[in-house]
Amino acid sequence: PPAGQAMYPPPQSGQAMYPPPQGGQAMYPPQQQQQQQPPSFQLPSTSGRDVLQSIQEHDLRAYQSMSNEIQGLESANVEHGLHTYRTQLSTIEQQVQAQEQRVNNLRARTHKEDKDRKKLESGGRRMFAKITGNLEQKQAKEEAEYQAAVEQQREGEQQLQNLTRHRDHLRGEVQRLDTMTRRLHQVRADEAALIERIFGGAAGDDTENRLEGEVNGMLPRLTQIRDSKRNWDAGRHLLAQALQQLQETEASLQSANQLATADVMMGNGMYGHHHGYYGGGYGHGHGGGYG
């Protein structure tokens, strides 16, 4: 070193200098030499080492984008959801058809009861009922039957409206999930094609192949679990529909019972009134003794 300047690092008593001084070369400790010459990164020895080094950046970005999209669609469980909603849609469409037929029958009954009710307002039936003395009773009976038919028709139309609304919702869900499922299948195919193009069918080492084999071996069990869950979900949906139908039926029965009770009370009152009328009139017309 120049005069008056300490050697770097200064030699200590009994410490050797590393590396040995050469002509015109400065002395550095081993740590300084390692920092100046870091070891180069080496890929592990695998069957795809040469291929990995030749992968283009845009291929890696494409693969990452596909993997993220596949993961998102699989997390949303679009395939299972599509199957479940299709099953529910098939069931609800059958219920809508049956309810439409029931509503048509109720409308026909309401129309018939309305005609019977109006016949007592004019024509021969009104004249006959007035002569026999039971016009008011028949009018009350026909009016009660007409009102009961109107109420049942209204409830049937409300049930049909609810079923139709639910069916339309399921149709929208099926369409949405079908689009997402088609997209999932397409991205999976694109990802497989990209991997095939990059690796030429020789991707992965022994460990990866072994893990893939284990995953493939789990697929039958996974399919069984998914089928069980799908059946369970379908059963829960059917039970909920049945409960709703029972509640609506109970409401209809209560309404019909109230109308029937009112009809009976009204009929008893009128019958007692006319019975007295008949007894007095008939007795008066025939000397009173027979009456």
Side-chain angles (χ1 to χ4, degrees):
Q5 181 177 357
M7 291 184 297
Y8 181 82
Q12 301 295 329
S13 176
Q15 179 180 1
M17 294 181 296
Y18 294 93
Q22 303 291 333
Q25 180 179 358
M27 293 180 294
Y28 295 99
Q31 293 83 356
Q32 293 294 329
Q33 292 186 10
Q34 292 176 0
Q35 292 178 0
Q36 286 186 352
Q37 298 179 359
S40 60
F41 176 76
Q42 298 293 330
L43 289 173
S45 177
T46 63
S47 58
R49 175 185 177 186
D50 296 335
V51 180
L52 289 172
Q53 291 177 338
S54 64
I55 295 178
Q56 300 296 324
E57 182 177 357
H58 68 273
D59 288 336
L60 290 176
R61 290 181 178 178
Y63 175 78
Q64 185 64 41
S65 176
M66 293 176 187
S67 298
N68 292 338
E69 186 173 1
I70 291 174
Q71 182 179 2
L73 292 172
E74 289 179 343
S75 299
N77 206 12
V78 295
E79 293 176 303
H80 174 70
L82 177 60
H83 185 278
T84 300
Y85 276 110
R86 277 178 173 170
T87 301
Q88 295 178 6
L89 178 59
S90 176
T91 302
I92 203 70
E93 284 179 341
Q94 295 176 5
Q95 294 178 357
V96 169
Q97 292 178 359
Q99 187 66 18
E100 287 176 344
Q101 183 62 41
R102 178 172 177 266
V103 169
N104 290 335
N105 294 337
L106 291 174
R107 288 171 178 170
R109 180 192 170 192
T110 302
H111 180 69
K112 175 183 177 300
E113 296 295 344
D114 187 39
K115 288 177 61 178
D116 293 343
R117 179 177 63 105
K118 291 179 178 178
K119 285 179 181 179
L120 288 177
E121 296 177 359
S122 62
R125 287 193 177 186
R126 177 180 175 85
M127 182 67 68
F128 179 78
K130 189 172 183 180
I131 292 174
T132 58
N134 60 352
L135 176 60
E136 295 181 1
Q137 180 182 0
K138 282 187 173 293
Q139 284 180 332
K141 178 177 179 296
E142 294 296 338
E143 181 66 23
E145 291 177 351
Y146 170 72
Q147 293 297 334
V150 170
E151 180 65 18
Q152 291 180 2
Q153 176 184 332
R154 185 191 66 80
E155 293 177 355
E157 290 174 343
Q158 183 63 42
Q159 293 175 10
L160 178 60
Q161 182 179 358
N162 294 338
L163 289 173
T164 302
R165 188 183 302 112
H166 187 44
R167 178 200 62 188
D168 294 340
H169 169 71
L170 290 178
R171 283 179 175 176
E173 289 298 310
V174 167
Q175 182 177 2
R176 180 181 67 87
L177 292 173
D178 181 72
T179 301
M180 297 175 68
T181 300
R182 291 177 183 271
R183 177 59 183 172
L184 175 60
H185 294 167
Q186 182 61 49
V187 178
R188 282 173 175 171
D190 293 342
E191 183 189 49
L194 177 63
I195 294 177
E196 179 70 19
R197 179 172 59 82
I198 292 176
F199 295 100
D205 55 11
D206 295 339
T207 301
E208 180 181 354
N209 294 334
R210 177 178 57 80
L211 294 176
E212 288 180 354
E214 293 178 359
V215 172
N216 293 333
M218 298 177 186
L219 291 179
R221 176 59 176 167
L222 177 61
T223 302
Q224 181 182 4
I225 294 174
R226 286 178 174 173
D227 291 341
S228 299
K229 185 178 185 302
R230 180 172 59 251
N231 295 334
W232 175 261
D233 292 340
R236 291 179 59 187
H237 173 73
L238 292 176
L239 288 175
Q241 290 292 324
L243 177 59
Q244 181 180 358
Q245 293 294 330
L246 287 174
Q247 292 173 347
E248 293 173 352
T249 302
E250 181 182 6
S252 300
L253 290 175
Q254 291 178 354
S255 176
N257 184 44
Q258 293 174 359
L259 291 173
T261 303
D263 185 26
V264 170
M265 294 177 64
M266 183 180 298
N268 289 336
M270 289 185 175
Y271 178 78
H273 170 74
H274 289 292
H275 179 71
Y277 175 78
Y278 296 153
Y282 195 83
H284 176 77
H286 292 78
Y290 185 80

